Amino acid sequence: MAPRRDAALLLLFLALSPASAGLSGYFGTKSRYEEVNPHLVRDPLSLGPGAGGSLPASCAPLQLRAVPGTAPATPRPAGPPLGELPPAAPRPAGTAACPAPPRWPPGPCVRESLDGRLAPGGAWSSWPAHGRPLPALFAARRRLALASSSKHRCLQSGAAFRRGLGPTLDFGGDEVEVEVNDSLMRFFDHCAKFVALVEENDAAMCQVNAFKEGPEMKKVLEKVASALCMPVEELNADLVQVAFLTCSYELAIKNVTSPWCSLFSEEDAKVLEYLNDLKQYWKRGYGYDINSRSSCILFQDIFQHLDKAVEESKSSKPISSPLIVQVGHAETLQPLLALMGYFKDDEPLLANNYARHAQRKFRSGRIVPYAANLVFVLYHCDHVNASQEEYQVQLMLNEKLLAFHHSNETISTYADFKDYYRDLLENCHFKEECELPKVNITAVDEL
């Protein structure tokens, strides 16, 4: 179908009934940060239940390394550009089954110059509570190293992060410059093997495409077509997904319930969430090894700074980088978490096992919603029983402690943490991992 007709059909999706309750938990990577931390709805400054965990009183933070994603950006969903939607097209003549709707304004118009930039009102949520549990690290005169990807929304998020620390803090200068570092924060763009065999390879998304044609999506399409009194052949999964994502943008950006939301039930939302999770799984998660292996350049950089802080502490030197904040994307965090082995299901996500994954671990909206953040905190502890206990570490994802794989505890000695990932730290080499195969081999065989 022509883009203009696609857009007109999408506008037919506007309905009169109130939006279905409970959709907001199924928007995948377009989910609000409040969905994973609902206490922030009541109190934006709340630490939430169990924040910080239990540490010996003799432990003091040495270094915090945060990898936050960005807050909501102006929408760029697949399909017809939202900024080009015309006024609502006429529907079939009004009947009891198909009442003619009123004309409705176009979808959320976005000026081309703002496409993909941080949305108005979104900057505040770029500052989750990275620093609130660790006031010692955010004391005056502590050095802040602030880096970002080159994308405008990330640079804006970095600036919002700095402002969120408050005007009373002095980091040794009037302004903290945001360093652009795409080699770390957009490593996927610099990995030729990933780009060629996954990013630009239609065959790599075969499970996603198969699910679009599968029974679950067909049921959603039939329901939508029936509600709109139009042939199901006029719809496809991409059009329905655009309508669903528009519902999510309205909620995340404007905090309003869009009339587009009324098209979907919670069961529909679960199907569309799985479609989004399939894409994340095969493009950024466990679907192909290169997805996560390409992130080892960032993973190794994190440990290099942790190592340096330990060495400086042992030498009684000031910690040169007590605060390191590097703003990236959901596409930065998801591969890194997969590299570390988090949120991996026993069975891969496939087009034909939707029902078996109802309780899956890999739910992108719970892992990398808007403003997601992964934080590494290194501590120095006095009065310990053994020398290896002197340096300890915690991980927080979206302000919630992550249990370590090697112990199932939420605090670990730094030595044990590093030893668990020793093979990745020593044998994952970005250049070699990302080289395209030199032999004549198909993309599918290589993956």
Side-chain angles (χ1 to χ4, degrees):
M1 291 183 288
R4 285 284 177 179
R5 185 174 179 184
D6 288 353
L9 286 172
L10 278 174
L11 282 164
L12 292 179
F13 288 171
L14 297 174
L16 299 176
S17 59
S20 301
L23 299 186
S24 60
Y26 304 102
F27 289 142
T29 57
K30 304 301 185 290
S31 297
R32 299 182 302 171
Y33 190 71
E34 293 88 338
E35 299 303 323
V36 296
N37 281 303
H39 62 273
L40 294 175
V41 175
R42 300 185 300 272
D43 179 6
L45 297 180
S46 169
L47 293 180
S54 56
L55 278 171
S58 61
C59 292
L62 283 182
Q63 185 181 82
L64 179 147
R65 175 70 171 265
V67 186
T70 62
T74 48
R76 289 189 301 179
L82 295 178
E84 297 180 4
L85 292 180
R91 273 171 51 177
T95 65
C98 301
R103 291 175 65 84
W104 200 273
C109 292
V110 178
R111 294 196 305 272
E112 185 176 352
S113 62
L114 296 180
D115 189 28
R117 296 195 174 199
L118 198 66
W124 69 269
S125 62
S126 295
W127 169 236
H130 301 311
R132 289 187 268 119
L134 302 165
L137 279 177
F138 288 82
R141 309 299 299 178
R142 301 306 297 270
R143 181 177 180 273
L144 169 65
L146 188 56
S148 166
S149 92
S150 59
K151 296 298 181 181
H152 192 273
R153 59 190 180 276
C154 289
L155 292 168
Q156 287 182 307
S157 290
F161 189 103
R162 172 62 184 90
R163 290 193 301 271
L165 295 176
T168 60
L169 292 180
D170 178 5
F171 288 93
D174 294 333
E175 294 291 335
V176 176
E177 183 178 351
V178 181
E179 174 196 358
V180 173
N181 192 335
D182 278 344
S183 64
L184 287 183
M185 308 321 294
R186 294 184 63 84
F187 50 78
F188 41 88
D189 283 345
H190 299 265
C191 183
K193 184 175 180 180
F194 169 79
V195 171
L197 303 188
V198 180
E199 182 76 39
E200 298 178 352
N201 178 20
D202 291 339
M205 295 297 105
C206 60
Q207 294 297 324
V208 178
N209 295 329
F211 189 75
K212 289 179 180 180
E213 303 297 327
E216 293 85 6
M217 276 303 304
K218 284 186 177 180
K219 184 177 179 181
V220 174
L221 292 178
E222 288 169 358
K223 176 188 167 185
V224 170
S226 175
L228 297 172
C229 297
M230 57 190 299
V232 70
E233 292 79 13
E234 298 284 355
L235 299 178
N236 58 49
D238 291 335
L239 286 173
V240 171
Q241 193 175 27
V242 170
F244 187 63
L245 291 180
T246 302
C247 167
S248 77
Y249 285 126
E250 295 275 286
L251 179 64
I253 295 174
K254 299 180 181 179
N255 199 30
V256 298
T257 300
S258 167
W260 301 70
C261 301
S262 63
L263 192 63
F264 304 100
S265 68
E266 187 171 356
E267 191 57 43
D268 299 331
K270 290 179 181 179
V271 173
L272 291 164
E273 179 197 31
Y274 191 74
L275 176 59
N276 182 54
D277 285 350
L278 269 177
K279 180 180 178 181
Q280 293 297 317
Y281 184 89
W282 289 96
K283 199 169 188 177
R284 306 293 178 184
Y286 292 103
Y288 304 110
D289 285 344
I290 190 58
N291 298 347
S292 60
R293 299 288 287 187
S294 61
S295 73
C296 66
I297 187 172
L298 175 58
F299 189 61
Q300 290 163 344
D301 184 77
I302 290 169
F303 274 87
Q304 288 167 9
H305 282 90
L306 292 170
D307 284 345
K308 185 176 181 181
V310 169
E311 292 170 6
E312 290 171 338
S313 173
K314 288 181 177 179
S315 302
S316 301
K317 297 178 181 178
I319 306 302
S320 55
S321 299
L323 292 165
I324 305 173
V325 178
Q326 295 177 310
V327 184
H329 309 263
E331 295 88 348
T332 308
L333 285 174
Q334 190 73 80
L336 182 61
L337 287 163
L339 186 74
M340 298 176 69
Y342 285 101
F343 308 106
K344 185 175 185 179
D345 294 283
D346 294 334
E347 183 179 358
L349 273 64
L350 301 171
N352 62 1
N353 61 5
Y354 165 75
R356 294 198 298 275
H357 275 302
Q359 302 300 321
R360 64 190 179 278
K361 299 174 185 176
F362 194 92
R363 290 188 66 195
S364 58
R366 295 292 180 264
I367 304 168
V368 285
Y370 284 128
N373 53 92
L374 178 63
V375 177
F376 298 73
V377 188
L378 177 69
Y379 299 90
H380 177 262
C381 301
D382 295 321
H383 314 299
V384 293
N385 297 323
S387 59
Q388 65 264 30
E389 297 178 3
E390 187 176 355
Y391 296 95
Q392 302 193 34
V393 66
Q394 284 185 319
L395 296 177
M396 288 183 282
L397 178 65
N398 303 325
E399 304 175 57
K400 296 177 182 178
L401 291 168
L402 281 177
F404 293 93
H405 291 303
H406 61 272
S407 65
N408 205 33
E409 301 289 339
T410 57
I411 185 166
S412 169
T413 66
Y414 181 59
D416 286 345
F417 179 47
K418 185 176 178 180
D419 187 63
Y420 182 79
Y421 290 110
R422 187 166 301 280
D423 181 66
L424 282 174
L425 295 172
E426 294 179 353
N427 299 311
C428 186
H429 304 291
F430 181 82
K431 183 178 179 180
E432 287 78 6
E433 297 285 347
C434 289
E435 281 183 342
L436 284 169
K438 295 181 173 60
V439 296
N440 186 16
I441 189 169
T442 66
V444 175
D445 288 341
E446 172 62 21
L447 289 169

